[in-house]
Amino acid sequence: MSLESVRAFFAAYAPDINVIVTEASSATVILAAEAHGVLPAQIAKTICLRVADRTMLAVTSGTARLDNRKFKDQFGGKPRMLDATEVVEATSHPVGGVCPFGLPAPLLVYCDVSLRDFDEVVPAAGATNAAVRIAPQRMVEITGAEWVDVC
């Protein structure tokens, strides 16, 4: 159902973007880069986090790492990664397929400035073998995300 919610999202908000389903898994940054023929840094990994009572998605370059100090300065607390069950509850997407598209309920979405290094990035699309190719600014626009510097 998660893949279908992502397809429905793109049909409604960006019908020119196709969901790409591969035979190979793209559940990790390295596997995704190999499956889509891009640099690992071009994979837009989505991390589901909680700070106090706020659940959010942070989308970063595949090779970037969250900087706890920057994150705490930006959001007023230390991030806690959700476990696999909590991720599915919050996003409907399995770990390895988490993305800011086709969510069952609105979540805060933040895109790290590390994504701006690329004209096109490849985020997952609701399944461990599905993704899209999208310009970072377009992803921000269609998801209502905010740019942040947390890596």
Coordinates of all heavy atoms in Angstrom, one line a residue, residues 29-112:
V29 N 21.9 3.2 1.1 CA 22.4 4.2 0.2 C 23.3 3.6 -0.9 O 23.1 3.9 -2.1 CB 23.2 5.3 1.0 CG1 24.1 6.2 0.1 CG2 22.3 6.1 1.9
I30 N 24.1 2.6 -0.5 CA 25.0 2.0 -1.5 C 24.2 1.2 -2.5 O 24.4 1.3 -3.8 CB 26.0 1.1 -0.8 CG1 27.0 1.9 0.1 CG2 26.9 0.3 -1.8 CD1 27.7 3.0 -0.6
L31 N 23.2 0.4 -2.1 CA 22.4 -0.4 -3.0 C 21.6 0.6 -3.9 O 21.5 0.3 -5.1 CB 21.4 -1.3 -2.2 CG 22.1 -2.5 -1.5 CD1 21.0 -3.2 -0.7 CD2 22.8 -3.4 -2.5
A32 N 21.1 1.6 -3.4 CA 20.3 2.6 -4.2 C 21.2 3.2 -5.3 O 20.7 3.4 -6.4 CB 19.6 3.6 -3.3
A33 N 22.4 3.6 -4.9 CA 23.3 4.3 -5.8 C 23.6 3.3 -7.0 O 23.6 3.7 -8.1 CB 24.6 4.7 -5.1
E34 N 23.9 2.1 -6.6 CA 24.1 1.1 -7.7 C 22.9 0.8 -8.5 O 23.0 0.8 -9.8 CB 24.6 -0.3 -7.0 CG 26.0 -0.2 -6.4 CD 26.3 -1.4 -5.6 OE1 25.5 -2.4 -5.5 OE2 27.4 -1.4 -5.0
A35 N 21.8 0.7 -8.0 CA 20.5 0.4 -8.7 C 20.2 1.5 -9.7 O 19.6 1.3 -10.7 CB 19.4 0.1 -7.8
H36 N 20.5 2.8 -9.3 CA 20.1 3.9 -10.1 C 21.3 4.6 -10.8 O 21.1 5.6 -11.5 CB 19.3 4.9 -9.2 CG 18.1 4.3 -8.7 ND1 16.9 4.2 -9.5 CD2 17.8 3.8 -7.5 CE1 16.0 3.6 -8.8 NE2 16.5 3.3 -7.6
G37 N 22.5 4.1 -10.7 CA 23.6 4.6 -11.4 C 24.0 6.0 -11.1 O 24.3 6.8 -12.0
V38 N 23.9 6.3 -9.8 CA 24.3 7.7 -9.3 C 25.3 7.6 -8.2 O 25.5 6.5 -7.7 CB 23.0 8.5 -8.8 CG1 22.0 8.7 -9.9 CG2 22.4 7.8 -7.6
L39 N 25.8 8.7 -7.8 CA 26.8 8.7 -6.7 C 26.0 8.5 -5.4 O 24.8 8.9 -5.3 CB 27.4 10.1 -6.6 CG 28.3 10.5 -7.7 CD1 28.7 12.0 -7.6 CD2 29.6 9.6 -7.8
P40 N 26.6 7.8 -4.4 CA 25.9 7.7 -3.1 C 25.4 9.0 -2.5 O 24.3 9.0 -1.9 CB 27.0 7.0 -2.2 CG 27.8 6.2 -3.2 CD 27.9 7.1 -4.4
A41 N 26.1 10.1 -2.7 CA 25.7 11.4 -2.2 C 24.4 11.9 -2.8 O 23.7 12.7 -2.2 CB 26.8 12.4 -2.4
Q42 N 24.1 11.4 -4.0 CA 22.9 11.8 -4.7 C 21.6 11.1 -4.2 O 20.5 11.5 -4.5 CB 23.0 11.5 -6.2 CG 23.8 12.6 -6.9 CD 23.8 12.3 -8.4 OE1 24.7 11.6 -8.9 NE2 22.8 12.9 -9.1
I43 N 21.8 10.0 -3.4 CA 20.7 9.4 -2.8 C 20.2 10.3 -1.7 O 20.9 10.8 -0.9 CB 21.1 8.0 -2.2 CG1 21.6 7.1 -3.4 CG2 19.9 7.4 -1.5 CD1 20.6 6.9 -4.5
A44 N 18.9 10.6 -1.7 CA 18.3 11.4 -0.7 C 17.7 10.5 0.3 O 16.6 10.0 0.2 CB 17.2 12.3 -1.4
K45 N 18.4 10.3 1.4 CA 17.9 9.4 2.5 C 17.0 10.2 3.4 O 17.2 11.4 3.7 CB 19.1 8.8 3.2 CG 19.9 9.7 4.0 CD 21.1 9.0 4.7 CE 22.0 10.0 5.4 NZ 23.2 9.3 6.0
T46 N 15.9 9.5 3.8 CA 14.9 10.1 4.6 C 15.0 9.4 6.0 O 14.8 8.2 6.1 CB 13.5 10.0 4.0 OG1 13.5 10.6 2.7 CG2 12.5 10.7 4.9
I47 N 15.2 10.2 7.0 CA 15.3 9.7 8.4 C 14.1 10.2 9.2 O 13.8 11.4 9.2 CB 16.6 10.2 9.1 CG1 17.8 9.9 8.2 CG2 16.8 9.6 10.4 CD1 19.0 10.7 8.5
C48 N 13.4 9.2 9.9 CA 12.3 9.6 10.7 C 12.7 9.8 12.1 O 13.3 8.9 12.7 CB 11.2 8.5 10.6 SG 9.6 8.9 11.2
L49 N 12.5 11.0 12.6 CA 13.1 11.4 13.9 C 12.0 11.9 14.9 O 10.9 12.4 14.4 CB 14.1 12.5 13.8 CG 15.3 12.2 12.8 CD1 16.0 13.4 12.4 CD2 16.2 11.2 13.5
R50 N 12.3 11.9 16.1 CA 11.4 12.6 17.1 C 12.3 13.4 18.0 O 13.3 13.0 18.4 CB 10.6 11.5 17.9 CG 9.6 12.1 18.8 CD 8.6 11.1 19.4 NE 7.8 10.6 18.4 CZ 7.4 9.3 18.2 NH1 7.9 8.4 19.1 NH2 6.6 9.0 17.2
V51 N 11.8 14.7 18.2 CA 12.3 15.6 19.2 C 11.2 16.0 20.1 O 10.2 16.5 19.7 CB 12.9 16.8 18.5 CG1 13.5 17.8 19.5 CG2 14.0 16.5 17.5
A52 N 11.3 15.6 21.4 CA 10.3 15.8 22.4 C 9.0 15.1 21.8 O 9.0 13.9 21.5 CB 10.1 17.3 22.7
D53 N 7.9 15.9 21.6 CA 6.7 15.3 21.1 C 6.5 15.5 19.6 O 5.5 15.2 19.0 CB 5.5 15.8 21.8 CG 5.3 17.3 21.7 OD1 6.3 18.0 21.2 OD2 4.2 17.8 22.0
R54 N 7.5 16.0 18.9 CA 7.4 16.3 17.4 C 8.1 15.2 16.6 O 9.3 14.9 16.8 CB 8.1 17.6 17.1 CG 7.5 18.8 17.7 CD 8.2 20.1 17.4 NE 9.5 20.0 18.1 CZ 10.6 20.8 17.9 NH1 10.5 21.7 17.0 NH2 11.7 20.6 18.6
T55 N 7.3 14.6 15.7 CA 7.9 13.6 14.8 C 8.1 14.3 13.5 O 7.3 15.1 13.0 CB 6.9 12.4 14.6 OG1 6.7 11.8 15.8 CG2 7.4 11.4 13.6
M56 N 9.3 14.1 12.8 CA 9.6 14.8 11.6 C 10.4 13.9 10.7 O 10.9 12.8 11.1 CB 10.4 16.0 12.0 CG 11.7 15.7 12.7 SD 12.7 17.2 13.2 CE 11.6 17.8 14.5
L57 N 10.5 14.3 9.5 CA 11.4 13.6 8.5 C 12.5 14.6 8.1 O 12.3 15.8 7.8 CB 10.6 13.3 7.2 CG 9.4 12.3 7.4 CD1 8.7 12.1 6.1 CD2 9.9 11.0 8.0
A58 N 13.7 14.1 8.2 CA 14.9 14.8 7.7 C 15.4 14.1 6.5 O 15.7 12.9 6.5 CB 16.0 14.9 8.8
V59 N 15.5 14.9 5.4 CA 16.0 14.3 4.1 C 17.3 14.9 3.9 O 17.5 16.1 3.8 CB 15.0 14.6 2.9 CG1 15.5 13.9 1.7 CG2 13.6 14.3 3.3
T60 N 18.3 14.0 3.7 CA 19.7 14.5 3.6 C 20.4 13.8 2.4 O 19.9 12.8 1.9 CB 20.5 14.2 4.9 OG1 20.8 12.8 5.0 CG2 19.8 14.6 6.1
S61 N 21.5 14.3 2.0 CA 22.4 13.6 1.1 C 22.8 12.2 1.6 O 23.0 12.1 2.9 CB 23.6 14.4 0.8 OG 24.6 13.6 0.1
G62 N 22.9 11.2 0.8 CA 23.2 9.9 1.2 C 24.4 9.7 2.0 O 24.6 8.8 2.8
T63 N 25.4 10.6 1.8 CA 26.7 10.5 2.5 C 26.8 11.5 3.7 O 27.8 11.5 4.4 CB 27.9 10.7 1.5 OG1 27.7 11.9 0.9 CG2 27.9 9.6 0.5
A64 N 25.8 12.3 3.9 CA 25.8 13.2 5.0 C 25.4 12.6 6.3 O 24.7 11.6 6.3 CB 24.9 14.4 4.7
R65 N 25.9 13.1 7.4 CA 25.5 12.6 8.7 C 24.9 13.8 9.5 O 25.4 14.9 9.4 CB 26.7 12.1 9.4 CG 27.3 10.8 8.7 CD 28.4 10.2 9.5 NE 27.9 9.9 10.8 CZ 27.8 8.6 11.3 NH1 28.2 7.6 10.6 NH2 27.4 8.4 12.5
L66 N 23.9 13.5 10.3 CA 23.4 14.5 11.2 C 24.4 15.0 12.2 O 25.2 14.2 12.7 CB 22.2 13.9 12.0 CG 20.9 13.7 11.2 CD1 19.8 13.2 12.2 CD2 20.4 15.0 10.6
D67 N 24.5 16.2 12.4 CA 25.3 16.9 13.3 C 24.5 17.2 14.5 O 23.6 18.0 14.5 CB 26.0 18.1 12.7 CG 26.9 18.9 13.7 OD1 26.4 19.2 14.8 OD2 28.0 19.2 13.3
N68 N 24.7 16.5 15.7 CA 23.8 16.7 16.8 C 23.7 18.1 17.3 O 22.7 18.6 17.8 CB 24.2 15.7 18.0 CG 23.8 14.3 17.7 OD1 22.8 14.1 17.0 ND2 24.5 13.3 18.2
R69 N 24.9 18.8 17.3 CA 24.9 20.2 17.7 C 24.0 21.1 16.8 O 23.2 21.9 17.3 CB 26.3 20.7 17.8 CG 26.5 22.2 18.0 CD 25.8 22.8 19.2 NE 25.9 22.1 20.5 CZ 25.1 22.2 21.5 NH1 24.0 22.9 21.4 NH2 25.3 21.5 22.6
K70 N 24.2 21.0 15.5 CA 23.4 21.8 14.6 C 21.9 21.4 14.7 O 21.1 22.3 14.7 CB 23.9 21.5 13.1 CG 25.1 22.2 12.7 CD 25.4 21.9 11.3 CE 26.6 22.6 10.7 NZ 26.7 22.3 9.3
F71 N 21.6 20.1 14.9 CA 20.3 19.7 15.0 C 19.6 20.3 16.3 O 18.5 20.8 16.2 CB 20.2 18.2 15.0 CG 18.8 17.7 14.8 CD1 18.4 17.3 13.5 CD2 17.9 17.5 15.8 CE1 17.1 16.9 13.3 CE2 16.6 17.1 15.6 CZ 16.2 16.7 14.4
K72 N 20.3 20.2 17.4 CA 19.8 20.7 18.6 C 19.6 22.2 18.6 O 18.6 22.7 19.1 CB 20.7 20.3 19.8 CG 20.2 20.6 21.1 CD 21.1 20.1 22.3 CE 20.4 20.4 23.6 NZ 21.2 19.9 24.7
D73 N 20.6 22.9 17.9 CA 20.4 24.3 17.8 C 19.2 24.7 16.9 O 18.5 25.7 17.2 CB 21.7 25.0 17.2 CG 22.9 24.9 18.1 OD1 22.7 24.7 19.3 OD2 24.0 25.2 17.6
Q74 N 18.9 23.9 15.9 CA 17.8 24.1 15.0 C 16.5 23.8 15.6 O 15.5 24.5 15.5 CB 18.0 23.3 13.7 CG 16.8 23.4 12.7 CD 16.8 24.7 12.0 OE1 17.9 25.2 11.5 NE2 15.7 25.3 11.8
F75 N 16.4 22.7 16.4 CA 15.1 22.1 16.8 C 14.9 22.1 18.3 O 13.9 21.7 18.8 CB 14.9 20.7 16.3 CG 14.8 20.7 14.8 CD1 15.8 20.2 14.0 CD2 13.7 21.2 14.1 CE1 15.7 20.2 12.6 CE2 13.6 21.2 12.8 CZ 14.6 20.7 12.0
G76 N 15.9 22.6 19.1 CA 15.8 22.7 20.5 C 15.8 21.4 21.3 O 15.4 21.3 22.4
G77 N 16.3 20.3 20.7 CA 16.5 19.1 21.4 C 17.3 18.1 20.6 O 17.5 18.3 19.4
K78 N 17.6 17.0 21.2 CA 18.4 15.9 20.6 C 17.5 15.0 19.8 O 16.4 14.6 20.3 CB 19.2 15.1 21.6 CG 20.1 14.1 21.1 CD 20.9 13.4 22.1 CE 21.7 12.3 21.5 NZ 22.4 11.5 22.5
P79 N 17.8 14.7 18.6 CA 17.0 13.8 17.8 C 17.0 12.4 18.3 O 18.1 11.9 18.7 CB 17.5 13.9 16.4 CG 19.0 14.2 16.6 CD 19.0 15.0 17.8
R80 N 15.9 11.7 18.2 CA 15.8 10.3 18.5 C 15.3 9.6 17.2 O 14.2 9.9 16.8 CB 15.0 9.9 19.7 CG 14.9 8.4 20.0 CD 14.0 8.1 21.1 NE 12.6 8.2 20.9 CZ 11.8 7.3 20.2 NH1 12.4 6.2 19.8 NH2 10.5 7.5 20.0
M81 N 16.0 8.6 16.7 CA 15.6 7.9 15.5 C 14.4 7.0 16.0 O 14.6 6.3 17.0 CB 16.7 7.1 14.9 CG 17.7 8.0 14.1 SD 18.9 7.1 13.2 CE 18.0 6.2 12.1
L82 N 13.4 6.9 15.2 CA 12.3 6.0 15.5 C 12.7 4.6 15.1 O 13.5 4.4 14.2 CB 11.0 6.4 14.7 CG 10.2 7.5 15.4 CD1 10.9 8.8 15.6 CD2 8.9 7.7 14.6
D83 N 12.1 3.6 15.8 CA 12.4 2.2 15.4 C 11.5 1.8 14.2 O 10.7 2.6 13.8 CB 12.3 1.2 16.6 CG 10.8 1.1 17.1 OD1 9.9 1.2 16.3 OD2 10.7 0.8 18.3
A84 N 11.8 0.7 13.6 CA 11.1 0.3 12.4 C 9.6 0.3 12.5 O 8.9 0.7 11.6 CB 11.6 -1.1 12.0
T85 N 9.0 -0.2 13.6 CA 7.6 -0.2 13.8 C 7.0 1.2 13.9 O 6.0 1.5 13.3 CB 7.2 -0.9 15.1 OG1 7.7 -2.3 15.0 CG2 5.7 -1.0 15.4
E86 N 7.7 2.1 14.6 CA 7.3 3.5 14.7 C 7.4 4.2 13.4 O 6.5 5.0 13.1 CB 8.2 4.2 15.8 CG 8.0 3.8 17.2 CD 9.0 4.4 18.1 OE1 10.2 4.4 17.8 OE2 8.6 4.8 19.2
V87 N 8.4 3.9 12.6 CA 8.5 4.5 11.3 C 7.4 4.1 10.4 O 6.8 5.0 9.7 CB 9.9 4.0 10.6 CG1 9.9 4.4 9.1 CG2 11.1 4.6 11.3
V88 N 7.0 2.9 10.4 CA 5.8 2.4 9.6 C 4.5 3.1 10.1 O 3.7 3.5 9.3 CB 5.7 0.9 9.6 CG1 4.4 0.5 8.9 CG2 6.9 0.2 8.9
E89 N 4.4 3.2 11.4 CA 3.2 3.9 11.9 C 3.1 5.3 11.5 O 2.1 5.8 11.2 CB 3.2 3.8 13.5 CG 2.9 2.4 14.0 CD 3.1 2.3 15.5 OE1 3.4 3.3 16.2 OE2 2.9 1.1 16.0
A90 N 4.3 6.0 11.5 CA 4.3 7.4 11.2 C 4.2 7.7 9.7 O 3.6 8.7 9.3 CB 5.6 8.1 11.7
T91 N 4.8 6.8 8.9 CA 4.9 7.1 7.4 C 4.2 6.2 6.5 O 3.9 6.5 5.3 CB 6.4 7.1 7.0 OG1 6.9 5.8 7.1 CG2 7.3 8.0 7.8
S92 N 3.9 5.0 7.0 CA 3.3 3.9 6.2 C 4.4 3.2 5.3 O 4.1 2.3 4.6 CB 2.1 4.3 5.4 OG 2.4 4.9 4.2
H93 N 5.6 3.8 5.3 CA 6.7 3.2 4.5 C 7.6 2.4 5.3 O 7.9 2.7 6.5 CB 7.5 4.4 3.9 CG 6.7 5.4 3.2 ND1 5.6 5.1 2.3 CD2 6.8 6.7 3.1 CE1 5.1 6.2 1.8 NE2 5.8 7.2 2.3
P94 N 8.1 1.3 4.7 CA 9.1 0.4 5.5 C 10.5 1.1 5.5 O 10.8 1.9 4.6 CB 9.1 -0.8 4.6 CG 8.8 -0.4 3.2 CD 7.8 0.8 3.4
V95 N 11.2 0.8 6.5 CA 12.6 1.2 6.5 C 13.3 0.8 5.3 O 13.1 -0.4 4.8 CB 13.3 0.7 7.8 CG1 14.8 1.0 7.7 CG2 12.7 1.3 9.0
G96 N 14.0 1.7 4.6 CA 14.6 1.4 3.3 C 13.8 1.9 2.2 O 14.2 2.0 1.0
G97 N 12.5 2.3 2.5 CA 11.6 2.9 1.5 C 11.0 4.2 2.0 O 10.1 4.7 1.3
V98 N 11.5 4.7 3.1 CA 10.9 5.9 3.7 C 11.2 7.1 2.8 O 12.3 7.3 2.3 CB 11.5 6.1 5.1 CG1 10.9 7.4 5.7 CG2 11.2 4.9 6.0
C99 N 10.2 7.9 2.7 CA 10.3 9.1 1.8 C 9.2 10.1 2.3 O 8.3 9.8 3.1 CB 10.0 8.8 0.4 SG 8.4 8.1 0.0
P100 N 9.3 11.4 1.9 CA 8.4 12.4 2.3 C 7.1 12.4 1.4 O 6.4 13.4 1.5 CB 9.2 13.7 2.2 CG 10.1 13.4 1.0 CD 10.5 12.0 1.2
F101 N 6.9 11.4 0.6 CA 5.8 11.4 -0.3 C 4.7 10.4 0.1 O 5.1 9.3 0.6 CB 6.2 11.0 -1.7 CG 7.5 11.7 -2.1 CD1 8.7 10.9 -2.4 CD2 7.6 13.0 -2.3 CE1 9.9 11.5 -2.8 CE2 8.8 13.6 -2.7 CZ 9.9 12.8 -2.9
G102 N 3.5 10.7 -0.1 CA 2.4 9.7 0.1 C 2.2 9.3 1.6 O 1.9 8.2 1.9
L103 N 2.4 10.3 2.5 CA 2.3 10.0 3.9 C 0.8 9.9 4.3 O -0.1 10.6 3.7 CB 2.9 11.1 4.7 CG 4.4 11.3 4.4 CD1 4.9 12.6 5.1 CD2 5.2 10.1 4.8
P104 N 0.5 9.1 5.3 CA -0.9 9.0 5.7 C -1.5 10.2 6.5 O -2.7 10.4 6.5 CB -0.9 7.7 6.7 CG 0.5 7.7 7.2 CD 1.3 8.2 6.0
A105 N -0.6 10.9 7.1 CA -0.9 12.2 7.8 C 0.3 13.1 7.6 O 1.4 12.7 7.5 CB -1.2 11.9 9.2
P106 N 0.0 14.4 7.6 CA 1.1 15.4 7.5 C 2.2 15.2 8.6 O 1.9 15.0 9.7 CB 0.4 16.8 7.6 CG -1.0 16.5 7.3 CD -1.3 15.1 7.8
L107 N 3.4 15.3 8.1 CA 4.6 15.3 9.0 C 5.4 16.5 8.7 O 5.4 17.0 7.5 CB 5.4 14.1 8.9 CG 4.9 12.8 9.5 CD1 5.9 11.6 9.1 CD2 4.8 12.9 11.0
L108 N 6.2 17.0 9.7 CA 7.1 18.1 9.4 C 8.2 17.5 8.5 O 8.7 16.4 8.8 CB 7.7 18.6 10.7 CG 6.7 19.3 11.6 CD1 7.4 19.5 13.0 CD2 6.2 20.5 11.1
V109 N 8.6 18.1 7.4 CA 9.6 17.6 6.5 C 10.7 18.7 6.4 O 10.4 19.9 6.1 CB 9.1 17.3 5.1 CG1 10.2 16.8 4.2 CG2 8.0 16.2 5.2
Y110 N 11.9 18.3 6.6 CA 13.1 19.2 6.5 C 14.1 18.6 5.5 O 14.4 17.4 5.6 CB 13.7 19.4 7.9 CG 12.8 20.0 8.8 CD1 12.0 19.3 9.7 CD2 12.5 21.4 8.8 CE1 11.1 19.8 10.6 CE2 11.6 22.0 9.7 CZ 10.9 21.2 10.6 OH 10.0 21.8 11.4
C111 N 14.6 19.4 4.6 CA 15.6 19.0 3.7 C 16.9 19.7 4.0 O 16.9 20.9 4.1 CB 15.2 19.3 2.2 SG 13.8 18.2 1.6
D112 N 17.9 18.9 4.2 CA 19.2 19.4 4.5 C 19.8 20.1 3.3 O 19.7 19.6 2.2 CB 20.2 18.3 5.1 CG 21.5 18.9 5.5 OD1 21.5 19.6 6.6 OD2 22.5 18.8 4.8

